[in-house]
Amino acid sequence: MHCPTDRIRRGHDRSERLLAGWIGSVTPAGWEGETVARSAFPHPGTSVEIVEEILDTMA
């Protein structure tokens, strides 16, 4: 099992790759003691396929 710090580091790495590819913004956040993902899709034309692409990077 990975420690929360590892999950946060991997989340930041993922966010950097997504931003570099102009795909979206997903950053790790904490909520009720859990590591969760905070996402933003500022473009109204964001497709389901793009969201699925982002979710696939999180698997």
Side-chain angles (χ1 to χ4, degrees):
M1 177 157 76
H2 298 283
C3 74
T5 304
D6 289 338
R7 283 192 302 262
I8 290 170
R9 180 184 43 75
R10 286 192 318 273
H12 282 292
D13 292 346
R14 178 185 316 109
S15 181
E16 293 285 325
R17 286 190 308 273
L18 290 168
L19 284 171
W22 291 87
I23 296 169
S25 176
V26 178
T27 59
W31 184 69
E32 293 188 0
E34 296 290 326
T35 301
V36 298
R38 185 180 306 257
S39 58
F41 305 102
H43 191 281
T46 301
S47 67
V48 170
E49 290 79 16
I50 291 174
V51 175
E52 288 174 343
E53 180 181 344
I54 292 170
L55 293 175
D56 287 346
T57 71
M58 300 170 76

